[in-house]
Amino acid sequence: MVALMEMLDVITEFMDTGGQVLTVIAAVIFIMWLMIFERFVFVFYSYKAVKKHLLASWDARKDQTSWYSEHIRTALISRGATKLNRNLVLIQSLVVLCPLLGLLGTVTGMIEVFDVMAISGSGNARSMASGVSRATIPTMAGMVGSLSGVFTVTWLRRHAQKETELLADGMTVNH
Amino acid sequence: MTTSILSLPTLNKLGGAVKQVFTTAAVSFTLLAGAAHAEQAANLDQLLKQLEQGKVAQSAQNKAREAEFKAKVNQQQGMLNDIRAQRDSALKLSAQLEQNFEENEITLANKGDALDKRLGELKELFGVLQQVSGDTRSKFQTSVISAQIPGRGEFLDQFAQSMGSSSKLASIEEIERLWFELQREMTQSGKVVKFNRDVVMANGESKPAEVIRVGGFNLIANGQYLEYIDETGTVAELIRQPSTRYLNSVDALINSQGETTAFAVDPTGGSILSLLVQAPDTRERIDQGGPVGYIILGIGLVGLLIALERLISLMIIGRKVNRQLASDTASDDNPLGRVMQVKDKHPDLDTETLELKLSESILRELPKLSSKLGLIKIISVVAPLIGLLGTVTGMITTFQAITLFGTGDPKLMAGGISQALVTTVLGLVVAIPMVFIFAYLNGRSKNIINILQQESTGIIAERSEREEQAASQGA
């Protein structure tokens, strides 16, 4: 319990050193990973049932060659693809957002540094340190968040593409 | 010839007459001159006598004068002698005094040396006392403990002055008083104390309040941090308080009943907190951005309103499309329904024409779904660009300041730089949500368009197949 409290204290301390922007970045990263986990859960568990249902509804068709069936097949594949691609754009935009927020933190931190200069009228490095840490920590956090997201999003995108193709392959057309 | 032969007696007579005239003239002259002394002379002889007498009288008078003068000469000589004697005695006195002075000076120097020798280490002690009391005085000026115990500084001021003049010796009482003050500061800085005193509120009103002093670090009252102003000896509420996390620790300390609570202290004894007052708040920050900042904010507001309108309409359309997906009858209040109605309107078209009709109707629906989204995208791109513009204008201002005043004062430069940075911040602040909102709205509209493009044909195919089956079964 005490160790947990201490950890919480360390985290609050870190968030304070990084300033308000770091809190926003933390929230964005949290939401991003929440969505990524939702995707993982869907891809590894829920999608199996969806795929089974779609394939079964195609296989159940007697007629697989007519103009109607071709369009129904497209619709079925598109239904699967929509489910696979859901939220991926949003996650991608969150990934892009992280470095932008980091840049915002950099600029606000620099403002603080210049504020210190304006108030104290000197280039005292020690008094500028808090502003500098507010400028650098969000940049770092933004980079880390963005990098952590970039790989997973790329994987999810490619996986969605591959699964869509597999779905299309699964629905064989008998000419 | 007759005139030249004049007789002698005649001549004599004539001469007598002339003489008479002369004499009369002389007498009358004399009369005029000696009117003071002589009486009217009856004749010449008398006049002569008178003259003689006058002469005698005059010389007597002169003699008397002479005598008088001679007597006075003696007297003056006497006076001169007196003055000389006085001068001599004064010179003598001066010489003696000069000698005395020199002697005294030597004695003084000797005595001073002796004093120094005898004072010895004691003198060093007085120097230390002076220094310590001066240091302590300046320490007390910034110490928040002075808010609780006023009037400590006066004694230290006097003590330091009397030590500095070195004509007075420090009494044991004074030295002990200094010791006491130092010890008291030390003891008090280890205590958390409650006491009552007047506090100047943020609105300038002075009110009595229960003040809590935390060691030599902070003063708090009414859940707020206070500052101690030594010049006026007052305790004032800080106009700008630190963040809520620290204020919560203040409340915790005020409400604590003797148990241990966490409290955020200012280790500099209040100077960090007092610098907070100088830091500008959000409103002042935005004002620093200048006109460029306001333009960015205006654009951001426009973008936000557009996004809100789009969000609501896309949500309504999305709900209607979902309802349409579930139902069989096509209604014309949603894009999917309108596309599906194409089949109902032209029941006997061949498949290829139907496909063309469908894609035409889908194309008609597209602008309504993706309208204004491009505007949001543009705003998300333009806002940082305008921020960059503000940055450049801010830097121009800075360099103008440098050209005018030189680089000597960083404060002048800092003003322009903060203007440059604030516009960048505002640009990012507008752009970041816009990027997010665009991604979200674009996703939603793409979703609906996807349904229209790929599913509409599928749904129509399903429906017509079912109808055909029903017809064939019926037949």
Side-chain angles (χ1 to χ4, degrees), chain A residues 25 28 92-102 146, chain B residues 431-433 435-436:
Chain A
I25 292 175
V28 165
Q92 182 95 35
S93 76
L94 287 177
V95 166
V96 175
L97 226 56
C98 279
L100 269 181
L101 281 168
S146 171
Chain B
I432 290 170
V435 167
F436 185 73

Side-chain angles (χ1 to χ4, degrees), chain A residues 78-147:
Chain A
S78 130
R79 239 168 257 172
T82 312
K83 282 203 169 125
L84 278 169
N85 283 306
R86 174 169 291 156
N87 285 341
L88 275 190
V89 178
L90 213 55
I91 295 170
Q92 182 95 35
S93 76
L94 287 177
V95 166
V96 175
L97 226 56
C98 279
L100 269 181
L101 281 168
L103 180 63
L104 183 69
T106 308
V107 182
T108 49
M110 287 319 285
I111 288 177
E112 214 160 289
V113 171
F114 283 112
D115 266 353
V116 168
M117 270 174 77
I119 290 167
S120 69
S122 72
N124 184 0
R126 199 169 288 189
S127 59
M128 290 195 288
S130 96
V132 171
S133 71
R134 282 194 181 180
T136 48
I137 291 178
T139 317
M140 183 202 67
M143 283 294 156
V144 168
S146 171
L147 280 175

Side-chain angles (χ1 to χ4, degrees), chain B residues 12-323:
Chain B
N12 275 350
K13 269 189 189 167
L14 198 69
V18 172
K19 216 175 228 178
Q20 181 99 30
V21 173
F22 278 143
T23 329
T24 345
V27 167
S28 65
F29 182 74
T30 327
L31 270 175
L32 277 171
H37 316 279
E39 287 144 46
Q40 189 101 37
N43 52 30
L44 282 172
D45 290 335
Q46 211 175 345
L47 178 70
L48 191 68
K49 219 184 230 167
Q50 268 179 5
L51 255 173
E52 204 178 8
Q53 275 172 3
K55 197 177 166 188
V56 169
Q58 208 155 25
S59 75
Q61 203 179 358
N62 281 344
K63 264 194 190 128
R65 257 191 220 162
E66 204 176 335
E68 196 187 342
F69 184 75
K70 274 187 183 152
K72 271 198 177 157
V73 165
N74 287 338
Q75 199 187 337
Q76 292 292 331
Q77 191 66 47
M79 275 166 76
L80 183 67
N81 288 344
D82 278 356
I83 296 289
R84 281 205 176 121
Q86 267 181 34
R87 185 198 65 184
D88 288 347
S89 69
L91 275 174
K92 220 167 161 188
L93 183 66
S94 137
Q96 203 198 333
L97 284 176
E98 224 162 88
Q99 199 190 346
N100 272 359
F101 175 75
E102 273 169 24
E103 277 169 12
N104 281 340
E105 210 158 53
I106 291 164
T107 327
L108 194 65
N110 287 340
K111 298 245 167 171
D113 281 350
L115 180 67
D116 274 356
K117 255 179 219 161
R118 287 201 191 161
L119 273 177
E121 283 173 12
L122 211 54
K123 189 155 198 178
E124 233 165 79
L125 172 74
F126 291 156
V128 170
L129 278 177
Q130 188 197 354
Q131 195 192 338
V132 167
S133 58
D135 286 354
T136 315
R137 169 71 182 133
S138 62
K139 204 175 285 170
F140 283 5
Q141 269 178 0
T142 52
S143 168
V144 291
I145 296 167
S146 299
Q148 184 190 355
I149 311 159
R152 299 186 294 172
E154 283 79 9
F155 159 73
L156 290 169
D157 269 344
Q158 286 167 11
F159 189 54
Q161 264 172 15
S162 68
M163 284 297 93
S165 66
S166 81
S167 63
K168 257 173 76 180
L169 298 185
S171 66
I172 289 178
E173 286 77 27
E174 281 175 323
I175 296 173
E176 278 180 343
R177 175 85 192 272
L178 177 65
W179 177 19
F180 169 71
E181 292 293 357
L182 280 169
Q183 186 72 43
R184 181 159 69 168
E185 173 81 9
M186 210 188 295
T187 318
Q188 289 297 331
S189 66
K191 280 181 184 167
V192 176
V193 185
K194 275 186 192 177
F195 60 96
N196 286 304
R197 66 160 294 160
D198 286 352
V199 173
V200 180
M201 299 291 162
N203 55 12
E205 224 177 301
S206 185
K207 270 187 193 165
E210 188 179 60
V211 179
I212 298 179
R213 178 178 60 73
V214 181
F217 300 113
N218 284 108
L219 292 171
I220 51 172
N222 308 325
Q224 309 253 287
Y225 282 89
L226 309 176
E227 63 174 340
Y228 172 66
I229 307 159
D230 181 64
E231 287 82 35
T232 51
T234 50
V235 170
E237 229 170 52
L238 277 170
I239 299 165
R240 262 174 219 163
Q241 296 286 330
S243 60
T244 344
R245 191 157 88 89
Y246 303 123
L247 286 179
N248 286 344
S249 71
V250 170
D251 281 334
L253 182 65
I254 288 175
N255 298 328
S256 81
Q257 306 293 330
E259 73 268 13
T260 310
T261 56
F263 175 69
V265 293
D266 179 1
T268 56
S271 45
I272 289 178
L273 282 175
S274 63
L275 279 178
L276 269 182
V277 179
Q278 294 183 34
D281 60 9
T282 321
R283 184 63 212 274
E284 287 167 7
R285 268 276 179 256
I286 292 169
D287 286 345
Q288 277 180 351
V292 181
Y294 293 127
I295 290 171
I296 296 171
L297 285 181
I299 287 173
L301 193 70
V302 169
L304 214 62
L305 288 176
I306 292 172
L308 207 67
E309 189 268 332
R310 280 286 82 194
L311 186 70
I312 291 168
S313 61
L314 279 178
M315 266 170 85
I316 291 169
I317 291 173
R319 196 167 297 160
K320 279 177 181 168
V321 166
N322 280 338
R323 206 183 299 145

Side-chain angles (χ1 to χ4, degrees), chain A residues 67-68 70-76 78-79 82, chain B residues 321 324-325 327-328 330 334-344 354-363 365-366 369 447-466:
Chain A
W67 180 87
Y68 296 134
E70 200 180 304
H71 282 281
I72 287 167
R73 183 172 172 265
T74 321
L76 286 177
S78 130
R79 239 168 257 172
T82 312
Chain B
V321 166
Q324 183 65 62
L325 278 173
S327 83
D328 280 345
N334 66 81
L336 186 63
R338 281 193 287 273
V339 171
M340 279 160 70
Q341 271 178 346
V342 172
K343 164 78 178 154
D344 297 343
L354 182 66
E355 226 175 327
L356 280 175
K357 285 268 178 200
L358 280 175
S359 53
E360 190 194 333
S361 72
I362 288 168
L363 275 178
E365 297 295 337
L366 280 188
L369 288 172
N447 208 19
I448 296 172
I449 290 169
N450 213 25
I451 289 172
L452 284 188
Q453 280 179 337
Q454 294 180 337
E455 296 219 357
S456 58
T457 39
I459 290 165
I460 287 165
E462 264 173 15
R463 276 179 63 191
S464 24
E465 202 180 35
R466 214 177 304 143

